Amino acid sequence: MKKVRTRYAPSPTGFLHIGNARSALFTYLYAKHYNGDFVIRIEDTDVLRNVEGGEESQLKYLTWLGLEWQESPDKGGPFGPYRQLERLELYQKYANILLEKGLAYKEYREDSDKFAIRFRVPENKTYEFDDIVRGTLRFESKEVEDWILMKDNGIPTYNFAVVIDDHLMEITDVLRGEEHITNTPKQMMVYEAFGWDIPRFGHMTIIVNEERKKLSKRDKNVIQFIQEYEEAGYLPEAMFNFISLLGWSPGGEEEILSKDEIIKLFDPSKLSKSPAMFDKVKLGYINSRYIKMLDDNILKDKAKVFFDKANIQIKDDNWLLNLVKLFKDRMSYVGEIVELYNNFFHHEFSLNEEELNVLKEFNSEEMLLTFEKLLSDLNDFTHDAINDAIKETGKITNTKGKPLFMSLRIATTGDMHGPSLPMTLELLGKDEVLNRIKLTIKLQRGGL
Ligand code: GLU
């Protein structure tokens, strides 16, 4: 069997979008699963739409996602060059062969010696291929007009260049978006004209948003560009995992899978025939699972970047490490740590009616006075010591469970719910905690 070779062929017309990333990722998985080569080719013939930095950004974020490739414009390889604008002579050469064979013809521009080259579409032929995703697809040549291979400026059209390149680069399998289905018969005509083998094609379904509408780049509800996910603190491994599930299913129950596991399990026959739903909640969940798996110190360094960006000064490294441990289970993206921090540590301490009523209901004044005394005697204000003080407060006041924990939590954090109380209090610091308890006692007595 021929060695599998796949390619991702972006047009550098913008930054790496979730849809492109999916095409790249599936193409990559396909190659890796069959121990093949993965090639990157830049399709830059739509000169007016190319954007500065588009190619670099695409490659940068494919690397960020964890894709590696054997051949590309920046790496080179035996079938280069890998940018179409650097291959114009090749397209010209093959267009000339078709002209000589009478399979294409020149079409002169009015009052000019410039000409485009059109492909002569065979009459009454049926083009049929076995799509990897959709099964047999059939097209009649009478539905296709003679189409342009080379424009009069010497630049090939996509449908011509893609065939020359896929053939010369020995691509065996092509996975791409469904918008290319109707291009496929045109491409097959060129393969046949040259007598070349036709690769296997697979056209992936569209990605839809939660309203089941095609994900559009203008859709403000969904983050669209991979760069923005990095900026918000999504982890590349989680993005890889999430994107691999957009239109493919591993079959089993477990959906949290490493890159290597996905490569192993990848099965093109499990590519979905119905649109892939972009489920934001699922993405948040998957990312949170990967955050939980991260080493605390690594997560701390990642979190630091977000505090720096928000211009928030953090006491010291150890404090940040504790903060990260406290919130590790509650983060769906690393940048969320700033929000969580602001909610818990940075807001003005105050109590609302409901909280004051709870304190009253639990008769909490004695608990608060006892807790205050025990805490003020502490030399080391650590979560372990604080934990002991909570238990001791319970013993002395003969309380436990909800009345005890709820009273102490409200009096120190101003909230009824939150992460581990001893650690929260350690992070708040002794002075702040004691001030809050004093204030709570005053508020309760109606003293303010
Ligand atoms: N340059 C094309 C695109 O970005 C590639 C299509 C293909 O894979 O054939 O859609």
Side-chain angles (χ1 to χ4, degrees):
M1 212 180 93
K2 262 211 267 178
K3 181 171 196 184
V4 166
R5 286 176 53 86
T6 68
R7 64 6 176 229
Y8 169 57
S11 302
T13 53
F15 303 119
L16 187 65
H17 179 261
I18 196 93
N20 312 134
R22 181 182 66 149
S23 299
L25 195 137
F26 282 155
T27 310
Y28 166 82
L29 287 175
Y30 196 104
K32 292 288 119 185
H33 180 77
Y34 295 109
N35 291 316
D37 292 332
F38 176 50
V39 177
I40 302 227
R41 178 175 73 232
I42 298 294
E43 300 203 328
D44 52 0
T45 55
D46 197 347
V47 182
L48 292 176
R49 290 186 58 224
N50 291 343
V51 299
E52 177 92 26
E55 178 185 320
E56 289 76 13
S57 157
Q58 293 250 354
L59 297 186
K60 177 176 167 195
Y61 284 96
L62 291 176
T63 305
W64 181 79
L65 276 173
L67 273 58
E68 325 103 33
W69 45 88
Q70 283 62 56
E71 299 158 38
S72 64
D74 55 335
K75 252 186 142 158
F79 300 97
Y82 293 89
R83 279 186 204 98
Q84 289 187 327
L85 285 181
E86 293 168 15
R87 301 170 63 80
L88 296 181
E89 280 169 25
L90 281 169
Y91 309 126
Q92 194 62 59
K93 173 181 141 191
Y94 285 98
N96 289 340
I97 295 176
L98 293 180
L99 282 174
E100 278 161 26
K101 287 186 171 178
L103 299 174
Y105 58 90
K106 294 177 183 175
E107 181 180 74
Y108 282 91
R109 212 206 269 177
E110 232 176 285
D111 296 334
S112 160
D113 53 4
K114 287 187 153 201
F115 57 87
I117 301 175
R118 263 187 203 274
F119 188 75
R120 205 186 294 280
V121 171
E123 274 171 42
N124 293 323
K125 266 198 82 167
T126 303
Y127 291 90
E128 195 178 282
F129 66 99
D130 192 14
D131 190 281
I132 296 167
V133 180
R134 295 151 199 266
T136 304
L137 297 176
R138 198 171 289 118
F139 297 85
E140 297 300 329
S141 69
K142 60 173 179 290
E143 287 159 22
V144 185
E145 292 180 352
D146 288 357
W147 53 279
I148 294 181
L149 302 169
M150 297 287 285
K151 292 183 271 186
D152 61 14
N153 59 6
I155 294 184
T157 56
Y158 156 70
N159 277 316
F160 184 49
V162 75
V163 174
I164 304 302
D165 289 346
D166 283 343
H167 171 73
L168 294 178
M169 295 182 181
E170 299 183 4
I171 300 302
T172 56
D173 298 77
V174 171
L175 278 185
R176 58 188 173 195
E178 72 172 24
E179 68 277 16
H180 290 294
I181 290 182
T182 53
N183 287 324
T184 307
K186 289 183 180 170
Q187 296 174 15
M188 291 173 75
M189 292 171 194
V190 179
Y191 282 102
E192 282 186 4
F194 287 110
W196 292 340
D197 284 348
I198 300 177
R200 263 158 56 89
F201 292 105
H203 293 91
M204 291 172 289
T205 58
I206 54 167
I207 304 176
V208 294
N209 64 18
E210 278 150 41
E211 279 122 40
R212 304 237 144 240
K213 290 210 192 92
K214 184 173 186 228
L215 201 63
S216 113
K217 291 191 179 156
R218 286 172 295 279
D219 200 332
K220 289 277 172 284
N221 283 321
V222 180
I223 304 185
Q224 301 273 330
F225 293 96
I226 301 301
Q227 179 174 352
E228 297 174 276
Y229 283 102
E230 185 199 21
E231 285 164 4
Y234 286 83
L235 304 178
E237 298 79 10
M239 291 303 295
F240 188 102
N241 193 160
F242 174 73
I243 296 171
S244 79
L245 302 173
L246 283 176
W248 173 73
S249 130
E253 286 281 296
E254 184 56 63
E255 288 201 315
I256 303 291
L257 299 163
S258 70
K259 181 165 92 176
D260 287 344
E261 288 168 321
I262 296 169
I263 290 173
K264 212 161 139 208
L265 288 169
F266 185 73
D267 175 356
S269 74
K270 294 213 179 84
L271 285 165
S272 159
K273 291 181 179 49
S274 45
M277 220 263 276
F278 192 98
D279 181 344
K280 281 191 283 184
V281 175
K282 182 165 170 177
L283 172 58
Y285 166 74
I286 292 181
N287 202 51
S288 73
R289 289 276 302 262
Y290 279 84
I291 289 177
K292 274 184 218 161
M293 287 188 253
L294 267 192
D295 171 80
D296 291 340
N297 272 295
I298 292 178
L299 183 57
K300 179 203 74 186
D301 292 341
K302 289 187 187 289
K304 176 98 175 45
V305 176
F306 289 92
F307 283 109
D308 289 347
K309 245 198 284 180
N311 257 328
I312 295 174
Q313 280 278 319
I314 292 295
K315 213 162 111 196
D316 57 44
D317 239 36
N318 198 40
W319 194 93
L320 183 56
L321 184 63
N322 282 333
L323 181 80
V324 155
K325 284 188 197 158
L326 186 66
F327 287 128
K328 198 173 180 182
D329 286 352
R330 292 168 177 246
M331 289 151 71
S332 343
Y333 50 96
V334 182
E336 200 176 8
I337 186 89
V338 174
E339 223 171 280
L340 292 163
Y341 163 89
N342 281 332
N343 287 343
F344 280 93
F345 293 100
H346 222 56
H347 68 63
E348 217 28 47
F349 177 77
S350 66
L351 297 175
N352 62 25
E353 274 292 303
E354 191 190 359
E355 287 153 357
L356 284 169
N357 283 338
V358 173
L359 290 176
K360 201 156 142 205
E361 184 193 327
F362 291 145
N363 262 323
S364 54
E365 181 160 328
E366 198 199 337
M367 287 182 250
L368 299 188
L369 287 167
T370 311
F371 192 45
E372 184 198 351
K373 171 79 180 66
L374 291 169
L375 291 185
S376 58
D377 288 345
L378 289 182
N379 290 325
D380 283 336
F381 201 70
T382 62
H383 56 278
D384 285 335
I386 297 166
N387 199 28
D388 289 343
I390 296 174
K391 286 193 200 140
E392 192 61 20
T393 304
K395 271 193 211 141
I396 295 174
T397 60
N398 201 20
T399 44
K400 57 179 190 229
K402 194 172 168 192
L404 174 69
F405 286 99
M406 195 64 124
S407 301
L408 301 188
R409 181 180 288 283
I410 291 175
T412 52
T413 67
D415 288 318
M416 304 221 270
H417 306 281
S420 153
L421 189 60
M423 188 52 108
T424 305
L425 299 191
E426 176 180 332
L427 287 167
L428 279 169
K430 186 167 168 178
D431 292 346
E432 179 67 22
V433 171
L434 290 176
N435 285 340
R436 289 180 174 192
I437 300 176
K438 286 193 186 103
L439 188 67
T440 302
I441 294 171
K442 270 195 206 150
L443 284 170
Q444 244 196 312
R445 290 177 178 164
L448 276 181

